Amino acid sequence: ADLIHRADVHPDRPEEEKSQMKRILFAGTCLVLIVGFFLGASYYKRWRAAELGFMAQEHASTFVRPHSPTLGSDDAKVYLVKFTDPACETCASFSPLIKQVMDAFPGRIRFVIRYAPFHEGADEAVRILEAAKRQGRFWETLELLYRRQDTWTRHHRVLLGEVWPLLPEVGLDVERVKVDMRDPRITAIIEQDLADAEVLGVRKTPGFFVNGKPLEPFGSRPLMELIKAEIREKYPE
């Protein structure tokens, strides 16, 4: 009678056990799915990092903005970023070296220009460069300004009136430049670049970064060594 009484008290125990097993299986399945999701996400991030290199890093936008003039292959894994002031003599002196390194490692380096117009009136030269970009003459104009600095700068100050006669040398429509350079969007570009320069600790020009690594100590030889180190890492033989 006692056995019968116990059976009567718990008539649905097998059903409870089945329900409990279902809950355990469901929880286990969810756990596997969650773990799988995070593992998949981690793998995807690693794959993207390997595929895109420096540009996959979260802070990459501080170095390269959509408006930044760039030169070199889209598939390059080494990003050479230069914060420049068109009126800076040292910036101009590094220009031939940049050409040499781009030629030495074709397809492997993406060169990026950022603005840091620290000299008096240099923001006007930047405006001219951005206006020249709209005519498809950015790089030619940058090289022209570097090469003829002694004509349009005095004691680290920009003499804007001396720039206009030079611009036809690279095929620019000067009157169009004078209009385009006053576009508020160019002001926003300069402000963004200066803000990024401040975040990155750029206080003088040129400021170089190779895949986000600052050039320390400064100099042409250390720059070459830093670039070659990144080339070896990203393109192992």
Side-chain angles (χ1 to χ4, degrees), residues 63-120:
F63 296 91
V64 185
R65 295 290 177 180
H67 63 252
S68 302
T70 60
L71 193 63
S73 172
D74 291 336
D75 299 324
K77 297 180 181 179
V78 177
Y79 276 71
L80 171 59
V81 179
K82 178 186 182 183
F83 280 84
T84 190
D85 182 329
C88 165
E89 293 180 10
T90 308
C91 294
S93 70
F94 270 84
S95 187
L97 178 65
I98 301 302
K99 289 182 179 179
Q100 292 173 15
V101 77
M102 295 288 288
D103 291 340
F105 302 103
R108 298 186 175 190
I109 298 174
R110 188 77 166 165
F111 180 45
V112 182
I113 285 289
R114 303 297 305 276
Y115 302 121
F118 295 149
H119 290 82
E120 184 179 345

Side-chain angles (χ1 to χ4, degrees), residues 36-167:
F37 172 79
F38 281 106
L39 287 175
S42 176
Y43 172 79
Y44 177 75
K45 287 181 179 179
R46 289 197 302 270
W47 176 81
R48 288 292 287 171
E51 186 74 12
L52 298 178
F54 168 69
M55 289 307 294
Q57 299 179 21
E58 293 180 2
H59 66 291
S61 62
T62 309
F63 296 91
V64 185
R65 295 290 177 180
H67 63 252
S68 302
T70 60
L71 193 63
S73 172
D74 291 336
D75 299 324
K77 297 180 181 179
V78 177
Y79 276 71
L80 171 59
V81 179
K82 178 186 182 183
F83 280 84
T84 190
D85 182 329
C88 165
E89 293 180 10
T90 308
C91 294
S93 70
F94 270 84
S95 187
L97 178 65
I98 301 302
K99 289 182 179 179
Q100 292 173 15
V101 77
M102 295 288 288
D103 291 340
F105 302 103
R108 298 186 175 190
I109 298 174
R110 188 77 166 165
F111 180 45
V112 182
I113 285 289
R114 303 297 305 276
Y115 302 121
F118 295 149
H119 290 82
E120 184 179 345
D123 58 316
E124 294 294 287
V126 169
R127 292 179 183 279
I128 290 171
L129 285 171
E130 282 297 305
K133 184 164 65 175
R134 298 183 182 188
Q135 296 186 39
R137 295 287 187 273
F138 174 83
W139 295 104
E140 297 91 334
T141 306
L142 179 61
E143 288 305 311
L144 172 69
L145 294 181
Y146 281 159
R147 188 174 68 252
R148 303 291 298 275
Q149 273 180 354
D150 59 342
T151 301
W152 61 275
T153 62
R154 291 286 188 282
H155 307 295
H156 307 293
R157 291 190 309 108
V158 171
L159 306 177
L160 189 60
E162 302 298 326
V163 178
W164 309 127
L166 303 177
L167 300 184

Side-chain angles (χ1 to χ4, degrees), residues 80 94 97-98 208 210 215 219-227:
L80 171 59
F94 270 84
L97 178 65
I98 301 302
F208 285 105
V210 182
L215 176 60
S220 57
R221 181 172 295 179
L223 178 59
M224 286 297 295
E225 291 174 352
L226 182 57
I227 293 171

Side-chain angles (χ1 to χ4, degrees), residues 154-214:
R154 291 286 188 282
H155 307 295
H156 307 293
R157 291 190 309 108
V158 171
L159 306 177
L160 189 60
E162 302 298 326
V163 178
W164 309 127
L166 303 177
L167 300 184
E169 293 183 23
V170 291
L172 285 173
D173 179 337
V174 177
E175 294 307 313
R176 181 180 166 190
V177 167
K178 290 180 179 180
V179 173
D180 289 345
M181 67 186 288
R182 298 305 167 194
D183 190 325
R185 288 174 291 184
I186 295 179
T187 302
I189 287 172
I190 295 172
E191 290 174 350
Q192 180 67 73
D193 279 17
L194 285 171
D196 288 340
E198 183 175 0
V199 168
L200 296 171
V202 178
R203 295 179 178 84
K204 56 185 178 180
T205 54
F208 285 105
F209 297 86
V210 182
N211 280 354
K213 299 175 182 177

